[in-house]
Amino acid sequence: MRIAIASDHAAAGLKAVLAGWLRERGHDVIDLGADGRASVDYPDYGYAVAEALAEGRAERGVALCGSGIGISIAANRHPACRCALVSEPLTAALSRQHNDANAIAMGARLIGEEMAKACLDAFLSTPFEGGRHQHRVDKLSKEFA
């Protein structure tokens, strides 16, 4: 699977760990930055994940910042992105099963590496259920007038 991953400076370390972990599992990882501790603006990286999904360069996205909140808000400003902020595997799985989320956000200051891997594993391995959820997901892609 092609997975776009991006973070701000607060989550660059977790991003590097998760990108390596994903590659070890055979995924094609598109690293969109940031690459160090120099202060950057999380919206730029949330937008980058959303654009990679919208353009078809990635099938799934991972957005990371200190809390996960800001970068998830940024990613969700694009109508093609359905980014769920998660902190444990059940929420990650439900984001796929019921909401067809194509990206997840996590907070590097709030989640450990092993929990982040467990969330990512649940997210990537859970299919969208469709059915009664489909018309609701379709509404998520509409832009407001």
Side-chain angles (χ1 to χ4, degrees):
M1 187 178 298
R2 283 174 296 135
I3 301 169
I5 189 168
S7 73
D8 71 356
H9 57 282
L14 180 59
K15 179 184 64 80
V17 167
L18 294 178
W21 184 80
L22 288 166
R23 287 184 182 108
E24 288 172 4
R25 280 150 185 74
H27 296 289
D28 180 16
V29 178
I30 304 166
D31 187 335
L32 301 171
D35 296 320
R37 293 181 171 253
S39 183
V40 297
D41 298 329
Y42 61 81
D44 297 334
Y45 297 91
Y47 299 156
V49 168
E51 287 173 359
L53 292 166
E55 294 169 359
R57 291 185 288 129
E59 299 165 80
R60 297 283 184 273
V62 180
L64 308 165
C65 69
S67 68
I69 297 167
I71 203 162
S72 67
I73 292 170
N76 280 320
R77 292 189 51 85
H78 197 296
C81 188
R82 293 176 305 282
C83 184
L85 175 57
V86 304
S87 59
E88 41 70 38
L90 178 58
T91 305
L94 288 171
S95 77
R96 287 284 310 131
Q97 186 178 6
H98 292 179
N99 308 113
D100 198 20
N102 54 7
I104 61 170
M106 294 180 280
R109 293 179 177 145
L110 306 175
I111 193 169
E113 290 178 8
E114 294 309 310
M115 183 59 76
K117 290 175 185 177
C119 289
L120 195 46
D121 184 54
F123 176 74
L124 295 173
S125 65
T126 303
F128 176 49
E129 193 172 272
R132 66 187 173 96
H133 302 289
Q134 185 63 59
H135 79 278
R136 296 170 185 147
V137 171
D138 292 342
K139 289 182 178 185
L140 294 174
S141 296
K142 290 184 179 179
E143 291 189 48
F144 289 103

